[in-house]
Amino acid sequence: MTEALQLPILGLENEFPEDVFVLHHAPTHRFGCYYHQGVHGLACFSTKSGANSFGEHIELDGLSVIALSFDEAREVAKDRPMPVTALMLLDNMNCPKIHYVR
């Protein structure tokens, strides 16, 4: 008898919070994204202060932090143009949790 893989899809072992915070620029409908080891992703955080700290490094007036459910953030990531392929939880910038959306 063969055994099923415990984690058949890369990234599913990483748990995301039910609600996350993202940076949004309403005038252009852009969102804060991040690049890590060849992967582009929508940047998200488990705290509003984490998102605010990340936003301090982006030179763009009018950025705001918005709260989204994990499912809503996943849909936003899917709607981003290529090369964005993931949702990234950046609470630890050196070791982000990556959830691939395509």
Side-chain angles (χ1 to χ4, degrees), residues 15-17 19-20 42-47 87-93 95-99:
E15 291 194 27
F16 279 67
D19 296 303
V20 295
L42 174 68
C44 70
F45 302 84
S46 61
T47 65
L87 177 61
M88 290 187 179
L89 184 64
L90 297 175
D91 291 344
N92 178 350
M93 298 286 285
C95 187
K97 293 182 180 180
I98 299 173
H99 173 81

Side-chain angles (χ1 to χ4, degrees), residues 76-92:
V76 169
K78 280 183 180 180
D79 289 343
R80 299 300 92 210
M82 291 300 283
V84 174
T85 59
L87 177 61
M88 290 187 179
L89 184 64
L90 297 175
D91 291 344
N92 178 350

Side-chain angles (χ1 to χ4, degrees), residues 15-88:
E15 291 194 27
F16 279 67
E18 288 183 31
D19 296 303
V20 295
F21 296 90
V22 299
L23 289 171
H24 182 238
H25 187 249
T28 61
H29 195 58
R30 290 184 178 176
F31 289 83
C33 291
Y34 190 68
Y35 177 81
H36 179 76
Q37 295 183 352
V39 178
H40 292 267
L42 174 68
C44 70
F45 302 84
S46 61
T47 65
K48 187 174 183 177
S49 63
N52 277 322
S53 294
F54 182 74
E56 291 173 0
H57 302 284
I58 300 173
E59 295 180 17
L60 184 62
D61 290 334
L63 279 178
S64 61
V65 175
I66 59 172
L68 299 174
S69 70
F70 170 79
D71 289 336
E72 290 170 328
R74 190 173 183 278
E75 289 304 313
V76 169
K78 280 183 180 180
D79 289 343
R80 299 300 92 210
M82 291 300 283
V84 174
T85 59
L87 177 61
M88 290 187 179

